[in-house]
Amino acid sequence: MWNPLPALKRQSTLAVLWQVGARILEALGADEQALRWIDRAMRLEPRQVTLHLHATRLCLKRGRLDRAILHWKKVTGEQGKTSLLYWLKRTNQRAFNASRLIQKTGTYSLEEKEKNPVPPVKERKNYLPRFLGWYGYIFQRRPDTPPLDEIGVQLLEIGRAEQALAVFRQVLLCQGASPELYLNMGLAASKLGRHEEALEYYQRAQAGGLNNVEVMNNKGYSLSHLGRYEEAIACYELAKEMCPGDAAILSNLASCYHRAQLYQKALSCYENALRCSSHDTTTLNNYALCLDEMGRHGEALQFYDRALTVDPDNQTILLNKAACLVKLKRYDEAIAICDQILARKPGCLETWGMRGNVLNEMGRTSEAVECYNRALSLSSKKL
């Protein structure tokens, strides 16, 4: 008869060896390698409390607060977030007094920096044209040219993320690193869709002691886009604790729960977000999508209609409503929505595809093929 005890003992011994090695590496300053060794130990002993405590400490040192929260919760449970949040408040008080710009995407602008000595004008004139081209000359001609980092923030706010990132890199070369600078570099990389790069910058900001709501919310945004939902949820949950009642954070958290198929939690979060901002079309649409995926099509339709009263020509919401009507077998109404969009945008390939789907459901296959051909033709023109 097979005895599992020797195998379990070997597994436990290996886990201890990995942890001892991690402690040695940490003492030598090799925190990243130590964290990898602790991860190996936890794969062998996933319920070992001391391993999760060690991982929490290393994650905090490396600026990975989202991972630290996950390990801390394994030790203390859900209530453990309170003590971790208290620590954050003690180490990062100014984060809670910062003014910030909330955007629909859930990203925030950098908090206003304290006035620092500005580099000489000559130094700035040498760098701006090279990195910003035409934009650099606009800023250069002004007698009250702002510092480079402020120019980067302005470029970020007008949607020039690539130029903004170039400016922030130049600030890094000229003035050195700061947590606030890394936050803005992360924002720029995120807007460019380079979420892995953005995470590197957010992590550096956190390692420098900046663990405020802006970092947590935006880091959650990038993690969510990379499909790392558990870590993203940890970030959003802590951001929510830091800033209760923020509709943008609640909506982001709800969306993350939704993607992770935690539907009940998603619904609760969407409802809280709508209490804070009842006319937000993005939240209304996403709430309807969540209900739709749960098979509650009639309720979903009501929220699509609420969103359309605010933004009646929103193509995404209209197409989502059409798809919901198809599930309710209300085909004529779905066709009417497609025709409504095509009357305004005859080159909308998504709508031609949807119209083809509806006609196919109705058994009108020849007409459906015509719609699919139109969609394919439009798609090839875009390539």
Side-chain angles (χ1 to χ4, degrees):
M1 187 176 184
W2 178 68
N3 184 2
L5 287 177
L8 289 172
K9 285 180 181 177
R10 281 197 301 273
Q11 187 170 298
S12 181
T13 302
L14 275 173
V16 170
L17 290 173
W18 282 119
Q19 187 178 19
V20 170
R23 284 176 178 158
I24 294 169
L25 287 167
E26 186 181 5
L28 294 172
D31 294 336
E32 191 64 37
Q33 183 65 33
L35 189 53
R36 284 198 287 269
W37 284 31
I38 283 292
D39 284 339
R40 290 180 181 181
M42 284 189 295
R43 281 198 288 271
L44 296 169
E45 292 284 339
R47 296 182 181 179
Q48 179 60 255
V49 169
T50 57
L51 292 175
H52 285 290
L53 285 171
H54 195 171
T56 300
R57 186 175 71 251
L58 284 169
C59 287
L60 289 172
K61 286 174 73 176
R62 297 299 297 165
R64 297 175 183 172
L65 186 61
D66 45 310
R67 282 191 61 190
I69 295 165
L70 294 173
H71 291 301
W72 187 250
K73 281 165 69 175
K74 294 282 176 66
V75 178
T76 61
E78 285 293 326
Q79 66 273 20
K81 285 191 295 184
T82 307
S83 55
L84 203 58
L85 184 62
Y86 174 75
W87 174 80
L88 287 175
K89 287 180 178 178
R90 290 289 302 273
T91 59
N92 196 30
Q93 277 297 328
R94 66 180 178 147
F96 297 90
N97 300 320
S99 61
R100 63 189 187 279
L101 174 66
I102 300 177
Q103 301 176 350
K104 277 193 176 180
T105 57
T107 58
Y108 293 75
S109 73
L110 176 66
E111 60 187 15
E112 292 181 358
K113 288 187 67 180
E114 297 170 0
K115 299 294 181 183
N116 293 319
V118 179
V121 173
K122 282 186 180 178
E123 186 176 306
R124 290 204 305 275
K125 284 185 178 180
N126 289 338
Y127 292 118
L128 279 171
R130 191 190 334 158
F131 278 85
L132 299 182
W134 184 70
Y135 292 101
Y137 288 108
I138 290 177
F139 284 116
Q140 198 176 20
R141 289 189 188 109
R142 290 176 55 184
D144 56 340
T145 305
L148 270 176
D149 53 355
E150 291 182 20
I151 291 171
V153 171
Q154 290 172 23
L155 286 167
L156 192 56
E157 290 180 349
I158 63 172
R160 301 290 180 178
E162 193 71 64
Q163 292 92 334
L165 191 54
V167 171
F168 293 140
R169 284 174 178 155
Q170 188 58 35
V171 174
L172 186 65
L173 288 172
C174 297
Q175 300 174 18
S178 71
E180 293 85 356
L181 177 63
Y182 282 132
L183 169 58
N184 273 342
M185 292 176 82
L187 286 170
S190 178
K191 284 182 177 291
L192 292 166
R194 287 147 49 178
H195 295 292
E196 289 283 4
E197 184 182 345
L199 285 179
E200 288 278 338
Y201 293 133
Y202 294 140
Q203 191 172 306
R204 291 179 190 179
Q206 288 182 295
L210 190 63
N211 286 303
N212 60 11
V213 66
E214 288 83 1
V215 175
M216 299 313 300
N217 189 57
N218 286 290
K219 190 174 183 182
Y221 183 77
S222 286
L223 285 165
S224 179
H225 275 72
L226 291 169
R228 292 161 61 177
Y229 300 126
E230 189 179 16
E231 294 168 84
I233 286 168
C235 287
Y236 284 138
E237 284 181 343
L238 195 58
K240 186 186 75 170
E241 296 290 335
M242 291 176 173
C243 197
D246 188 307
I249 294 171
L250 286 167
S251 184
N252 286 343
L253 177 56
S255 180
C256 205
Y257 282 140
H258 185 174
R259 289 173 180 167
Q261 297 184 343
L262 300 169
Y263 294 119
Q264 290 303 327
K265 287 188 175 183
L267 289 180
S268 177
C269 242
Y270 281 133
E271 286 160 8
N272 288 334
L274 288 171
R275 287 189 193 101
C276 300
S277 181
S278 59
H279 299 296
D280 185 87
T281 54
T282 301
T283 306
L284 286 165
N285 175 70
N286 291 343
Y287 187 34
L289 275 173
C290 191
L291 289 166
D292 208 349
E293 287 179 29
M294 295 173 72
R296 294 160 63 176
H297 310 306
E299 293 171 77
L301 206 56
Q302 293 175 24
F303 283 93
Y304 286 133
D305 286 336
R306 274 182 60 180
L308 289 168
T309 58
V310 181
D311 189 0
D313 295 325
N314 189 302
Q315 182 181 303
T316 301
I317 301 170
L318 284 167
L319 287 173
N320 286 340
K321 181 183 176 182
C324 186
L325 286 166
V326 170
K327 291 167 189 171
L328 292 168
K329 302 189 184 303
R330 292 161 62 175
Y331 301 122
D332 291 335
E333 292 173 70
I335 288 285
I337 288 175
C338 293
D339 291 342
Q340 175 189 336
I341 297 171
L342 291 170
R344 194 172 60 255
K345 292 183 179 178
C348 179
L349 67 92
E350 295 87 359
T351 307
W352 281 111
M354 172 62 74
R355 196 173 192 277
N357 291 341
V358 179
L359 289 166
N360 192 46
E361 286 286 329
M362 297 171 75
R364 295 158 62 178
T365 51
S366 58
E367 293 174 77
V369 168
E370 288 180 22
C371 291
Y372 291 142
N373 285 335
R374 289 289 295 272
L376 286 169
S377 174
L378 290 164
S379 178
S380 62
K381 287 177 183 178
K382 286 190 175 184
L383 294 176

